[in-house]
Amino acid sequence: MPIGKLATQDAVTASRDTNLKDIADQMESEMVGSVIIAEDNKPVGIVTDRDIAFAAADGKDVSSTSAEEIMTEDVQTIDSDIEGYEAIEQMGDTSVRRFPVVDENDELVGIVTLDDVVATVGRELEQIADIIEKQSPEYSPA
């Protein structure tokens, strides 16, 4: 299945100048662990709940610290047309669990997480197991 179909289509976004408190509030209300920082519908960074926790632990004032100050700038993206197994490989190769999903113009179309991919692969394996079970002869212990 192409990753674009698996991705959450309504990725939560903010601008570079959004303060961390507002981003944390967005995360809480949307029940997500990251916010994509976007310009002209293109991802330019990402802020995770962990980034905010570390910033607060370092003494940064979350009400006056902007996303730009702590965001991961070299945000890893994933193409919407690649398959799930390729996404798993990319996640493994980069040690990144969340990817903004982009189209052929590098415009944001959603977000996909390792949890999304694993859940989908699990459902697909379940379907395969059902087919195998239906096609296998009945087992009766001796």
mmCIF file of all heavy atoms in Angstrom, residues 65-104:
data_model
loop_
_atom_site.group_PDB
_atom_site.id
_atom_site.type_symbol
_atom_site.label_atom_id
_atom_site.label_comp_id
_atom_site.label_asym_id
_atom_site.label_seq_id
_atom_site.Cartn_x
_atom_site.Cartn_y
_atom_site.Cartn_z
ATOM 1 N N THR A 65 9.708 31.025 23.649
ATOM 2 C CA THR A 65 10.639 30.327 22.757
ATOM 3 C C THR A 65 9.880 29.884 21.519
ATOM 4 O O THR A 65 8.827 29.248 21.621
ATOM 5 C CB THR A 65 11.260 29.103 23.467
ATOM 6 O OG1 THR A 65 11.926 29.539 24.646
ATOM 7 C CG2 THR A 65 12.251 28.396 22.552
ATOM 8 N N SER A 66 10.418 30.209 20.348
ATOM 9 C CA SER A 66 9.734 29.856 19.100
ATOM 10 C C SER A 66 10.128 28.457 18.641
ATOM 11 O O SER A 66 11.184 27.930 19.015
ATOM 12 C CB SER A 66 10.089 30.862 18.003
ATOM 13 O OG SER A 66 11.443 30.719 17.621
ATOM 14 N N ALA A 67 9.292 27.906 17.797
ATOM 15 C CA ALA A 67 9.566 26.593 17.213
ATOM 16 C C ALA A 67 10.903 26.596 16.492
ATOM 17 O O ALA A 67 11.676 25.636 16.574
ATOM 18 C CB ALA A 67 8.449 26.212 16.243
ATOM 19 N N GLU A 68 11.193 27.684 15.814
ATOM 20 C CA GLU A 68 12.430 27.780 15.038
ATOM 21 C C GLU A 68 13.670 27.572 15.901
ATOM 22 O O GLU A 68 14.675 27.039 15.436
ATOM 23 C CB GLU A 68 12.508 29.139 14.344
ATOM 24 C CG GLU A 68 13.700 29.288 13.435
ATOM 25 C CD GLU A 68 13.615 30.533 12.588
ATOM 26 O OE1 GLU A 68 13.144 31.570 13.083
ATOM 27 O OE2 GLU A 68 14.024 30.449 11.419
ATOM 28 N N GLU A 69 13.593 27.945 17.165
ATOM 29 C CA GLU A 69 14.744 27.835 18.059
ATOM 30 C C GLU A 69 15.081 26.391 18.426
ATOM 31 O O GLU A 69 16.225 26.107 18.767
ATOM 32 C CB GLU A 69 14.504 28.649 19.327
ATOM 33 C CG GLU A 69 14.438 30.149 19.072
ATOM 34 C CD GLU A 69 14.122 30.923 20.323
ATOM 35 O OE1 GLU A 69 14.887 30.817 21.305
ATOM 36 O OE2 GLU A 69 13.091 31.638 20.329
ATOM 37 N N ILE A 70 14.110 25.482 18.364
ATOM 38 C CA ILE A 70 14.385 24.102 18.786
ATOM 39 C C ILE A 70 14.048 23.048 17.743
ATOM 40 O O ILE A 70 14.379 21.888 17.920
ATOM 41 C CB ILE A 70 13.650 23.758 20.100
ATOM 42 C CG1 ILE A 70 12.143 23.651 19.870
ATOM 43 C CG2 ILE A 70 14.000 24.737 21.205
ATOM 44 C CD1 ILE A 70 11.437 22.822 20.908
ATOM 45 N N MET A 71 13.406 23.440 16.655
ATOM 46 C CA MET A 71 12.945 22.441 15.688
ATOM 47 C C MET A 71 14.118 21.707 15.045
ATOM 48 O O MET A 71 15.221 22.220 14.928
ATOM 49 C CB MET A 71 12.080 23.091 14.612
ATOM 50 C CG MET A 71 12.834 23.956 13.637
ATOM 51 S SD MET A 71 11.680 24.707 12.455
ATOM 52 C CE MET A 71 12.838 25.447 11.318
ATOM 53 N N THR A 72 13.835 20.496 14.622
ATOM 54 C CA THR A 72 14.774 19.755 13.788
ATOM 55 C C THR A 72 14.607 20.310 12.385
ATOM 56 O O THR A 72 13.523 20.216 11.802
ATOM 57 C CB THR A 72 14.460 18.248 13.819
ATOM 58 O OG1 THR A 72 14.558 17.783 15.162
ATOM 59 C CG2 THR A 72 15.401 17.471 12.913
ATOM 60 N N GLU A 73 15.669 20.926 11.875
ATOM 61 C CA GLU A 73 15.567 21.607 10.576
ATOM 62 C C GLU A 73 15.734 20.670 9.391
ATOM 63 O O GLU A 73 15.066 20.839 8.383
ATOM 64 C CB GLU A 73 16.584 22.734 10.487
ATOM 65 C CG GLU A 73 16.231 23.890 11.401
ATOM 66 C CD GLU A 73 17.146 25.060 11.179
ATOM 67 O OE1 GLU A 73 17.046 25.694 10.115
ATOM 68 O OE2 GLU A 73 17.940 25.336 12.093
ATOM 69 N N ASP A 74 16.625 19.739 9.486
ATOM 70 C CA ASP A 74 16.820 18.810 8.372
ATOM 71 C C ASP A 74 15.793 17.697 8.483
ATOM 72 O O ASP A 74 16.126 16.532 8.667
ATOM 73 C CB ASP A 74 18.241 18.239 8.392
ATOM 74 C CG ASP A 74 19.286 19.304 8.136
ATOM 75 O OD1 ASP A 74 18.980 20.253 7.400
ATOM 76 O OD2 ASP A 74 20.394 19.182 8.670
ATOM 77 N N VAL A 75 14.534 18.099 8.379
ATOM 78 C CA VAL A 75 13.441 17.163 8.566
ATOM 79 C C VAL A 75 13.468 16.102 7.468
ATOM 80 O O VAL A 75 13.606 16.408 6.292
ATOM 81 C CB VAL A 75 12.076 17.888 8.639
ATOM 82 C CG1 VAL A 75 11.738 18.595 7.348
ATOM 83 C CG2 VAL A 75 10.971 16.950 9.032
ATOM 84 N N GLN A 76 13.391 14.857 7.909
ATOM 85 C CA GLN A 76 13.331 13.732 6.982
ATOM 86 C C GLN A 76 11.898 13.626 6.482
ATOM 87 O O GLN A 76 10.970 13.597 7.281
ATOM 88 C CB GLN A 76 13.709 12.432 7.706
ATOM 89 C CG GLN A 76 15.095 12.425 8.275
ATOM 90 C CD GLN A 76 16.141 12.164 7.216
ATOM 91 O OE1 GLN A 76 15.923 11.408 6.285
ATOM 92 N NE2 GLN A 76 17.271 12.807 7.350
ATOM 93 N N THR A 77 11.728 13.568 5.176
ATOM 94 C CA THR A 77 10.392 13.388 4.602
ATOM 95 C C THR A 77 10.353 12.045 3.887
ATOM 96 O O THR A 77 11.382 11.410 3.671
ATOM 97 C CB THR A 77 10.048 14.506 3.603
ATOM 98 O OG1 THR A 77 10.994 14.489 2.535
ATOM 99 C CG2 THR A 77 10.045 15.870 4.283
ATOM 100 N N ILE A 78 9.149 11.659 3.526
ATOM 101 C CA ILE A 78 8.969 10.392 2.812
ATOM 102 C C ILE A 78 7.990 10.645 1.670
ATOM 103 O O ILE A 78 7.023 11.398 1.820
ATOM 104 C CB ILE A 78 8.486 9.304 3.802
ATOM 105 C CG1 ILE A 78 8.717 7.920 3.256
ATOM 106 C CG2 ILE A 78 7.068 9.519 4.230
ATOM 107 C CD1 ILE A 78 8.656 6.844 4.324
ATOM 108 N N ASP A 79 8.284 10.059 0.520
ATOM 109 C CA ASP A 79 7.433 10.253 -0.657
ATOM 110 C C ASP A 79 6.122 9.495 -0.510
ATOM 111 O O ASP A 79 6.102 8.352 -0.058
ATOM 112 C CB ASP A 79 8.146 9.781 -1.927
ATOM 113 C CG ASP A 79 9.348 10.643 -2.254
ATOM 114 O OD1 ASP A 79 9.320 11.850 -1.947
ATOM 115 O OD2 ASP A 79 10.316 10.101 -2.818
ATOM 116 N N SER A 80 5.040 10.122 -0.924
ATOM 117 C CA SER A 80 3.710 9.538 -0.758
ATOM 118 C C SER A 80 3.497 8.270 -1.564
ATOM 119 O O SER A 80 2.618 7.474 -1.243
ATOM 120 C CB SER A 80 2.630 10.557 -1.115
ATOM 121 O OG SER A 80 2.736 10.937 -2.474
ATOM 122 N N ASP A 81 4.292 8.049 -2.596
ATOM 123 C CA ASP A 81 4.045 6.900 -3.460
ATOM 124 C C ASP A 81 4.888 5.669 -3.126
ATOM 125 O O ASP A 81 4.735 4.634 -3.777
ATOM 126 C CB ASP A 81 4.223 7.274 -4.928
ATOM 127 C CG ASP A 81 5.610 7.812 -5.241
ATOM 128 O OD1 ASP A 81 6.390 8.059 -4.302
ATOM 129 O OD2 ASP A 81 5.908 7.992 -6.433
ATOM 130 N N ILE A 82 5.745 5.725 -2.102
ATOM 131 C CA ILE A 82 6.516 4.522 -1.777
ATOM 132 C C ILE A 82 5.654 3.547 -0.979
ATOM 133 O O ILE A 82 4.645 3.924 -0.383
ATOM 134 C CB ILE A 82 7.838 4.827 -1.030
ATOM 135 C CG1 ILE A 82 7.589 5.284 0.394
ATOM 136 C CG2 ILE A 82 8.688 5.815 -1.783
ATOM 137 C CD1 ILE A 82 8.837 5.242 1.245
ATOM 138 N N GLU A 83 6.048 2.293 -0.997
ATOM 139 C CA GLU A 83 5.299 1.242 -0.312
ATOM 140 C C GLU A 83 5.691 1.170 1.162
ATOM 141 O O GLU A 83 6.750 1.653 1.570
ATOM 142 C CB GLU A 83 5.566 -0.108 -0.983
ATOM 143 C CG GLU A 83 5.034 -0.194 -2.403
ATOM 144 C CD GLU A 83 3.517 -0.103 -2.490
ATOM 145 O OE1 GLU A 83 2.829 -0.659 -1.617
ATOM 146 O OE2 GLU A 83 3.024 0.512 -3.448
ATOM 147 N N GLY A 84 4.843 0.518 1.946
ATOM 148 C CA GLY A 84 5.044 0.409 3.389
ATOM 149 C C GLY A 84 6.376 -0.188 3.783
ATOM 150 O O GLY A 84 7.047 0.304 4.693
ATOM 151 N N TYR A 85 6.800 -1.253 3.090
ATOM 152 C CA TYR A 85 8.064 -1.883 3.449
ATOM 153 C C TYR A 85 9.234 -0.932 3.209
ATOM 154 O O TYR A 85 10.219 -0.952 3.942
ATOM 155 C CB TYR A 85 8.263 -3.208 2.706
ATOM 156 C CG TYR A 85 8.459 -3.078 1.218
ATOM 157 C CD1 TYR A 85 9.737 -2.931 0.683
ATOM 158 C CD2 TYR A 85 7.374 -3.110 0.354
ATOM 159 C CE1 TYR A 85 9.919 -2.798 -0.678
ATOM 160 C CE2 TYR A 85 7.550 -2.985 -1.004
ATOM 161 C CZ TYR A 85 8.819 -2.819 -1.529
ATOM 162 O OH TYR A 85 9.000 -2.690 -2.877
ATOM 163 N N GLU A 86 9.134 -0.080 2.171
ATOM 164 C CA GLU A 86 10.185 0.907 1.918
ATOM 165 C C GLU A 86 10.214 1.953 3.032
ATOM 166 O O GLU A 86 11.285 2.429 3.422
ATOM 167 C CB GLU A 86 9.968 1.600 0.575
ATOM 168 C CG GLU A 86 10.152 0.691 -0.622
ATOM 169 C CD GLU A 86 9.767 1.373 -1.914
ATOM 170 O OE1 GLU A 86 8.542 1.588 -2.128
ATOM 171 O OE2 GLU A 86 10.682 1.701 -2.695
ATOM 172 N N ALA A 87 9.037 2.287 3.540
ATOM 173 C CA ALA A 87 8.964 3.241 4.655
ATOM 174 C C ALA A 87 9.637 2.657 5.892
ATOM 175 O O ALA A 87 10.374 3.358 6.597
ATOM 176 C CB ALA A 87 7.504 3.589 4.955
ATOM 177 N N ILE A 88 9.411 1.369 6.139
ATOM 178 C CA ILE A 88 10.043 0.713 7.284
ATOM 179 C C ILE A 88 11.559 0.746 7.122
ATOM 180 O O ILE A 88 12.289 1.040 8.077
ATOM 181 C CB ILE A 88 9.530 -0.732 7.446
ATOM 182 C CG1 ILE A 88 8.062 -0.710 7.875
ATOM 183 C CG2 ILE A 88 10.380 -1.497 8.452
ATOM 184 C CD1 ILE A 88 7.382 -2.060 7.841
ATOM 185 N N GLU A 89 12.040 0.472 5.915
ATOM 186 C CA GLU A 89 13.479 0.537 5.662
ATOM 187 C C GLU A 89 14.020 1.932 5.927
ATOM 188 O O GLU A 89 15.062 2.101 6.559
ATOM 189 C CB GLU A 89 13.796 0.141 4.216
ATOM 190 C CG GLU A 89 13.766 -1.336 3.951
ATOM 191 C CD GLU A 89 14.117 -1.670 2.509
ATOM 192 O OE1 GLU A 89 14.366 -0.759 1.683
ATOM 193 O OE2 GLU A 89 14.144 -2.869 2.201
ATOM 194 N N GLN A 90 13.313 2.958 5.429
ATOM 195 C CA GLN A 90 13.766 4.340 5.613
ATOM 196 C C GLN A 90 13.764 4.705 7.097
ATOM 197 O O GLN A 90 14.679 5.366 7.572
ATOM 198 C CB GLN A 90 12.894 5.303 4.809
ATOM 199 C CG GLN A 90 13.448 6.713 4.775
ATOM 200 C CD GLN A 90 12.708 7.612 3.797
ATOM 201 O OE1 GLN A 90 12.039 7.158 2.875
ATOM 202 N NE2 GLN A 90 12.824 8.912 3.999
ATOM 203 N N MET A 91 12.759 4.254 7.827
ATOM 204 C CA MET A 91 12.704 4.523 9.259
ATOM 205 C C MET A 91 13.880 3.850 9.967
ATOM 206 O O MET A 91 14.504 4.437 10.842
ATOM 207 C CB MET A 91 11.371 4.063 9.840
ATOM 208 C CG MET A 91 10.218 4.929 9.427
ATOM 209 S SD MET A 91 8.625 4.286 10.022
ATOM 210 C CE MET A 91 7.530 5.585 9.480
ATOM 211 N N GLY A 92 14.179 2.629 9.573
ATOM 212 C CA GLY A 92 15.306 1.919 10.168
ATOM 213 C C GLY A 92 16.643 2.548 9.824
ATOM 214 O O GLY A 92 17.510 2.697 10.682
ATOM 215 N N ASP A 93 16.801 2.952 8.565
ATOM 216 C CA ASP A 93 18.061 3.551 8.118
ATOM 217 C C ASP A 93 18.338 4.899 8.771
ATOM 218 O O ASP A 93 19.495 5.259 8.992
ATOM 219 C CB ASP A 93 18.062 3.732 6.591
ATOM 220 C CG ASP A 93 18.117 2.418 5.833
ATOM 221 O OD1 ASP A 93 18.424 1.372 6.450
ATOM 222 O OD2 ASP A 93 17.826 2.440 4.617
ATOM 223 N N THR A 94 17.277 5.650 9.059
ATOM 224 C CA THR A 94 17.452 7.012 9.587
ATOM 225 C C THR A 94 17.199 7.122 11.087
ATOM 226 O O THR A 94 17.448 8.172 11.670
ATOM 227 C CB THR A 94 16.501 7.989 8.868
ATOM 228 O OG1 THR A 94 15.149 7.563 9.102
ATOM 229 C CG2 THR A 94 16.786 8.055 7.383
ATOM 230 N N SER A 95 16.665 6.061 11.687
ATOM 231 C CA SER A 95 16.282 6.082 13.108
ATOM 232 C C SER A 95 15.259 7.180 13.405
ATOM 233 O O SER A 95 15.252 7.776 14.472
ATOM 234 C CB SER A 95 17.512 6.256 14.005
ATOM 235 O OG SER A 95 18.395 5.175 13.837
ATOM 236 N N VAL A 96 14.400 7.432 12.435
ATOM 237 C CA VAL A 96 13.337 8.428 12.582
ATOM 238 C C VAL A 96 12.012 7.687 12.643
ATOM 239 O O VAL A 96 11.762 6.782 11.849
ATOM 240 C CB VAL A 96 13.350 9.430 11.398
ATOM 241 C CG1 VAL A 96 12.155 10.357 11.438
ATOM 242 C CG2 VAL A 96 14.643 10.229 11.409
ATOM 243 N N ARG A 97 11.146 8.062 13.597
ATOM 244 C CA ARG A 97 9.863 7.391 13.793
ATOM 245 C C ARG A 97 8.680 8.110 13.155
ATOM 246 O O ARG A 97 7.602 7.550 13.026
ATOM 247 C CB ARG A 97 9.566 7.252 15.286
ATOM 248 C CG ARG A 97 10.528 6.382 16.036
ATOM 249 C CD ARG A 97 10.225 6.417 17.525
ATOM 250 N NE ARG A 97 8.816 6.290 17.803
ATOM 251 C CZ ARG A 97 8.229 5.189 18.266
ATOM 252 N NH1 ARG A 97 8.947 4.124 18.509
ATOM 253 N NH2 ARG A 97 6.934 5.172 18.489
ATOM 254 N N ARG A 98 8.873 9.380 12.801
ATOM 255 C CA ARG A 98 7.780 10.176 12.228
ATOM 256 C C ARG A 98 8.284 10.864 10.974
ATOM 257 O O ARG A 98 9.314 11.530 11.006
ATOM 258 C CB ARG A 98 7.331 11.253 13.213
ATOM 259 C CG ARG A 98 6.838 10.751 14.532
ATOM 260 C CD ARG A 98 6.616 11.955 15.468
ATOM 261 N NE ARG A 98 6.015 11.551 16.706
ATOM 262 C CZ ARG A 98 6.617 11.599 17.878
ATOM 263 N NH1 ARG A 98 7.857 12.038 17.978
ATOM 264 N NH2 ARG A 98 5.991 11.224 18.975
ATOM 265 N N PHE A 99 7.520 10.751 9.912
ATOM 266 C CA PHE A 99 7.913 11.384 8.652
ATOM 267 C C PHE A 99 6.768 12.220 8.102
ATOM 268 O O PHE A 99 5.670 11.697 7.901
ATOM 269 C CB PHE A 99 8.231 10.331 7.587
ATOM 270 C CG PHE A 99 9.563 9.690 7.713
ATOM 271 C CD1 PHE A 99 9.697 8.490 8.391
ATOM 272 C CD2 PHE A 99 10.687 10.261 7.147
ATOM 273 C CE1 PHE A 99 10.926 7.873 8.503
ATOM 274 C CE2 PHE A 99 11.919 9.646 7.250
ATOM 275 C CZ PHE A 99 12.048 8.453 7.926
ATOM 276 N N PRO A 100 7.037 13.489 7.782
ATOM 277 C CA PRO A 100 6.071 14.210 6.965
ATOM 278 C C PRO A 100 6.040 13.527 5.595
ATOM 279 O O PRO A 100 7.083 13.145 5.053
ATOM 280 C CB PRO A 100 6.677 15.615 6.854
ATOM 281 C CG PRO A 100 7.589 15.727 8.043
ATOM 282 C CD PRO A 100 8.137 14.342 8.234
ATOM 283 N N VAL A 101 4.857 13.346 5.061
ATOM 284 C CA VAL A 101 4.692 12.708 3.751
ATOM 285 C C VAL A 101 4.510 13.828 2.728
ATOM 286 O O VAL A 101 3.692 14.731 2.924
ATOM 287 C CB VAL A 101 3.479 11.754 3.747
ATOM 288 C CG1 VAL A 101 3.293 11.113 2.383
ATOM 289 C CG2 VAL A 101 3.638 10.694 4.836
ATOM 290 N N VAL A 102 5.296 13.743 1.647
ATOM 291 C CA VAL A 102 5.262 14.792 0.631
ATOM 292 C C VAL A 102 4.933 14.205 -0.733
ATOM 293 O O VAL A 102 5.170 13.030 -0.991
ATOM 294 C CB VAL A 102 6.609 15.560 0.569
ATOM 295 C CG1 VAL A 102 6.866 16.322 1.869
ATOM 296 C CG2 VAL A 102 7.773 14.638 0.258
ATOM 297 N N ASP A 103 4.395 15.074 -1.594
ATOM 298 C CA ASP A 103 4.093 14.660 -2.966
ATOM 299 C C ASP A 103 5.294 14.948 -3.866
ATOM 300 O O ASP A 103 6.370 15.324 -3.387
ATOM 301 C CB ASP A 103 2.814 15.326 -3.467
ATOM 302 C CG ASP A 103 2.904 16.850 -3.558
ATOM 303 O OD1 ASP A 103 4.036 17.414 -3.498
ATOM 304 O OD2 ASP A 103 1.850 17.493 -3.695
ATOM 305 N N GLU A 104 5.085 14.814 -5.165
ATOM 306 C CA GLU A 104 6.180 15.007 -6.121
ATOM 307 C C GLU A 104 6.725 16.439 -6.136
ATOM 308 O O GLU A 104 7.813 16.692 -6.629
ATOM 309 C CB GLU A 104 5.762 14.569 -7.533
ATOM 310 C CG GLU A 104 4.615 15.359 -8.134
ATOM 311 C CD GLU A 104 3.222 14.892 -7.690
ATOM 312 O OE1 GLU A 104 3.109 13.854 -6.999
ATOM 313 O OE2 GLU A 104 2.248 15.580 -8.022
#
